[in-house]
Amino acid sequence: MHPRLLKTFLAVARNRSFTRTAEEVHLAQSSVSDQIQSLETELGAALFIRSRSGLELTAAGETLRRYAEEILTVADEARAAVEAAAGVAAGTVTIGALETVASMRLPQWLSTFQSGHPDINLRVKVAGSGDLLRKLEDGEIDIAFCFDKDGLDEGLAKRTISAEPLILIMPPQKEAAPKRGDLSTLASMSFVATEVGCVYRHLLDKAFDAVGMAAPKLAAEVGSIGTIARLVAAGTGVSLVPRLAVADALDRGEISEMPWPGPMRTASLVMIWRRRRIQPPTLKLLLATASDSFAPAKPADARPRHAVSSPL
């Protein structure tokens, strides 16, 4: 079973479609079909059946899926072990990150890293937290940078690199800013939030739950932090977000900030990678420098230029 055929097989199992798989692996649909047929002939068993919702794995296909993942993982580890023994630190590392993390935290660090390791090629893919974890599990990326969320798969490892303050954002000079410690004021406010399942929505719901309050009233649900900032600036509602995610809008004076009116809340910025018996030297280097190079979170009591002032 050639690794190329196993990779195509896993892509079909994931996409449940020859057409979508062909687009993902940059092959003609007929080539994808031929590879699956070749694998089925070699194994003497059908691997997929067609259903109304797309291709489904047969019992034989489901058995192969588990072995294919293990075979490809061992092949990667063997390559990493040989590279480590030969002292090789060259290759490609594919990084996945939330859009705000990619734009605010990665550029300077990646530039410095590449200057010190010119033989390592870096690729960056931007996606939502759910997609990042899927890409990581499927081997599409080597490491993900996102905010922490409960329920991480046991095959993944993570390390916290900073604790980012959560802040309430509102239009500039909004008069109805809640006082520090005045949780009851939040009940009368309408919030702009991302959709359920997004890590930013998870942080909002978790913050309300931690102070024993029901979920907030929603003025709008949107798909990006950038849109949230613009809606808040226009007066649609307020929002609770990691300060990192809206730093540019704060600096431009488009929105104002207020600390969460209760026990200070933070969001853990983490890097996540797959557990392996032997890490590729390139990824091992990147993990080590990320741990050392990321700037610490801004102190919770620091007041930015456009913060709303309210009595304690």
Side-chain angles (χ1 to χ4, degrees), residues 92-96 110 114 121-125 140-141 143:
T92 300
V93 178
T94 303
I95 299 164
L110 289 181
Q114 198 157 43
N121 297 320
L122 299 174
R123 295 175 181 164
V124 178
K125 295 186 177 183
E140 296 180 44
I141 59 176
I143 183 172

Side-chain angles (χ1 to χ4, degrees), residues 93 95 97 101-102 105-117 120 122-125 143 145 286 289-290 293-294:
V93 178
I95 299 164
V101 176
R105 283 302 192 94
L106 296 189
Q108 184 59 51
W109 169 62
L110 289 181
S111 177
T112 301
F113 178 86
Q114 198 157 43
S115 295
H117 307 283
I120 298 178
L122 299 174
R123 295 175 181 164
V124 178
K125 295 186 177 183
I143 183 172
F145 289 85
L286 191 117
T289 56
S293 301
F294 272 85

Side-chain angles (χ1 to χ4, degrees), residues 196-272:
V196 173
C198 174
V199 68
Y200 296 113
R201 178 64 172 272
H202 172 73
L203 293 171
L204 173 62
D205 292 341
K206 190 174 180 180
F208 269 78
D209 184 65
V211 293
M213 296 182 64
K217 296 185 300 182
L218 295 183
E221 288 183 314
V222 297
S224 74
I225 288 293
T227 303
I228 284 179
R230 288 190 286 273
L231 286 172
V232 168
T236 304
V238 300
S239 190
L240 179 72
V241 294
R243 192 180 193 282
L244 166 69
V246 293
D248 283 347
L250 285 168
D251 288 341
R252 292 191 296 266
E254 296 168 358
I255 54 177
S256 303
E257 75 167 278
M258 177 69 192
W260 177 251
M264 200 271 288
R265 306 289 300 176
T266 61
S268 296
L269 182 59
V270 298
M271 54 183 182
I272 306 173

Side-chain angles (χ1 to χ4, degrees), residues 119-191:
D119 293 330
I120 298 178
N121 297 320
L122 299 174
R123 295 175 181 164
V124 178
K125 295 186 177 183
V126 174
S129 53
D131 283 342
L132 288 176
L133 293 180
R134 181 190 61 78
K135 290 177 183 294
L136 195 58
E137 291 169 353
D138 292 342
E140 296 180 44
I141 59 176
D142 298 301
I143 183 172
F145 289 85
C146 57
F147 290 106
D148 197 11
K149 192 175 180 181
D150 300 331
L152 193 65
D153 186 271
E154 63 180 13
L156 301 176
K158 71 178 178 183
R159 184 179 302 158
T160 300
I161 54 178
S162 69
E164 301 295 336
L166 288 174
I167 60 170
L168 281 169
I169 59 171
M170 56 199 71
Q173 308 302 319
K174 184 175 176 62
E175 295 180 1
K179 299 178 181 179
R180 188 182 302 228
D182 185 5
L183 292 169
S184 62
T185 307
L186 294 176
S188 64
M189 292 184 148
S190 295
F191 279 71

